[in-house]
Amino acid sequence: MEFKTLAHTHIDELLSVFNYSFSDYVVPFHLTKEVLIAKIEEQKLDMNISVGAFEEGKLVGFIIQSQKNENAESIVYNGGTGVIPESRGKGLVRKMYDFIIPVLKERNATSLLLEVIEGNHTAIRAYENLGFTIVRRLLCFKGNINHREGNTEVTIRELKNFPWNILRSFWDIEPSWQGSVYVLEPMPADYVALGAYIGDQMVGYMVYGPTVRKIYQIAVDKNYRNRGVGTRLFNAVLQRNGGEAVIVNNVDDSSEETGKFLSERIGLNNWLSQFEMKRTL
């Protein structure tokens, strides 16, 4: 068995192993080449710090990662770990981390971050044995948006500039990696950012990816909540997407107000929950 970065691994080989590895996952899924390429680009995954396990020259396992420097911390995010069924039970995830951690330390990484489905007890135990601890629970919602008019005093406009100092002031919780400012700055070309205004004052906003019908961020000014602002933002998406189902992933479950709004007001279903896990290097 050989371990090396994925810097020289062809996307087609990674795609094949990715899909095979997740074919019997807790929530099985299958990516197209275009979706995998988009995932790598959007999550800023770096093949130079991603690692593969190779048997007789063929990829049999991988960890794909990204790194951001923020607030005196350098975090490496695991955007996906997979091992094909025939190669499981050999401790490959631990061995891949053993290989890549010295590389990450050379890049001054201070911590590792990942998400794991709440019911995937085998993976949770494996990551705990690798030194990861659960830091928060994240709720995933999907479904069709209930049509509600909302506050007609609120107007919706597309955002071209992103005053993150103002937008951050609307937050109660820090977004997970996929909705982080690091990933969204610069904003991917196919994303739509909508601002909610009362007069000339921005009172809320949303970042939406029409291709995958996913909402990456939504927040409302604390002084304007329960006044139909969020409803107007979702109604704007409903008008744009022709009534297709949408996804809102990784809502911190400590934000009970947000979870209640998404389920009871917007009509989305909390179909899955994840744990965010972290390890200090």
Side-chain angles (χ1 to χ4, degrees):
M1 194 72 67
E2 182 183 12
F3 300 92
K4 55 186 178 181
T5 73
L6 298 177
H8 302 293
T9 300
H10 196 279
I11 188 68
D12 289 337
E13 183 176 17
L14 178 58
L15 175 66
S16 176
V17 174
F18 192 107
N19 284 332
Y20 188 25
S21 297
F22 284 97
S23 61
D24 61 348
Y25 192 50
V26 176
V27 181
F29 61 92
H30 182 92
L31 301 184
T32 64
K33 183 176 180 179
E34 292 72 23
V35 170
L36 178 57
I37 290 171
K39 173 183 173 68
I40 290 169
E41 291 177 350
E42 291 169 6
Q43 296 183 20
K44 299 184 178 177
L45 299 170
D46 184 352
M47 297 303 108
N48 292 298
I49 59 169
S50 300
V51 56
F54 295 82
E55 190 165 12
E56 297 181 355
K58 294 182 179 180
L59 183 67
V60 297
F62 62 87
I63 301 173
I64 48 178
Q65 303 188 114
S66 179
Q67 183 176 7
K68 72 172 179 178
N69 299 312
E70 187 175 79
N71 300 326
E73 189 176 17
S74 183
I75 304 170
V76 174
Y77 172 71
N78 178 339
T81 297
V83 176
I84 66 171
E86 293 86 349
S87 296
R88 293 173 189 165
K90 301 178 181 179
L92 293 189
V93 173
R94 176 179 291 277
K95 291 174 182 177
M96 285 190 285
Y97 269 118
D98 287 344
F99 169 84
I100 203 64
I101 283 175
V103 176
L104 301 178
K105 287 182 175 180
E106 288 180 2
R107 294 168 59 104
N108 299 315
T110 57
S111 59
L112 304 176
L113 186 72
L114 56 82
E115 293 140 12
V116 61
I117 291 176
E118 184 176 18
N120 192 349
H121 304 296
T122 300
I124 293 168
R125 285 194 299 271
Y127 286 124
E128 287 176 336
N129 289 336
L130 287 168
F132 286 85
T133 57
I134 294 171
V135 292
R136 59 177 173 169
R137 184 169 179 257
L138 303 169
L139 311 180
C140 301
F141 293 82
K142 68 178 178 180
N144 298 93
I145 299 169
N146 287 338
H147 175 69
R148 297 177 184 270
E149 191 64 31
N151 186 344
T152 55
E153 292 182 335
V154 177
T155 58
I156 305 298
R157 311 172 199 165
E158 286 200 21
L159 297 177
K160 301 301 179 185
N161 299 307
F162 303 94
W164 286 112
N165 58 324
I166 296 174
L167 303 183
R168 284 178 183 269
S169 72
F170 298 167
W171 296 359
D172 288 328
I173 53 176
E174 186 76 21
S176 69
W177 186 277
Q178 296 175 32
S180 66
V181 175
Y182 171 76
V183 168
L184 297 179
E185 186 65 41
M187 193 72 64
D190 63 334
Y191 286 15
V192 176
L194 303 172
Y197 293 82
I198 294 180
D200 291 327
Q201 182 174 353
M202 185 190 294
V203 295
Y205 77 99
M206 174 187 284
V207 179
Y208 174 62
T211 303
V212 293
R213 300 189 299 276
K214 183 179 293 186
I215 292 162
Y216 293 94
Q217 284 191 11
I218 179 169
V220 174
D221 186 325
K222 298 174 181 63
N223 298 311
Y224 290 87
R225 293 179 184 170
N226 301 311
R227 293 173 59 176
V229 177
T231 301
R232 290 286 279 184
L233 286 164
F234 271 98
N235 193 46
V237 169
L238 180 62
Q239 291 173 353
R240 284 166 167 78
N241 78 354
E244 295 279 356
V246 299
I247 298 168
V248 185
N249 279 349
N250 294 349
V251 176
D252 192 319
D253 78 338
S254 67
S255 181
E256 295 181 7
E257 183 180 2
T258 303
K260 186 175 180 179
F261 168 74
L262 291 173
S263 60
E264 297 182 7
R265 184 73 178 173
I266 303 304
L268 305 185
N269 175 42
N270 173 208
W271 72 286
L272 182 75
S273 299
Q274 299 191 103
F275 290 126
E276 187 176 70
M277 303 185 74
K278 196 171 186 179
R279 172 189 163 174
T280 300
L281 291 180

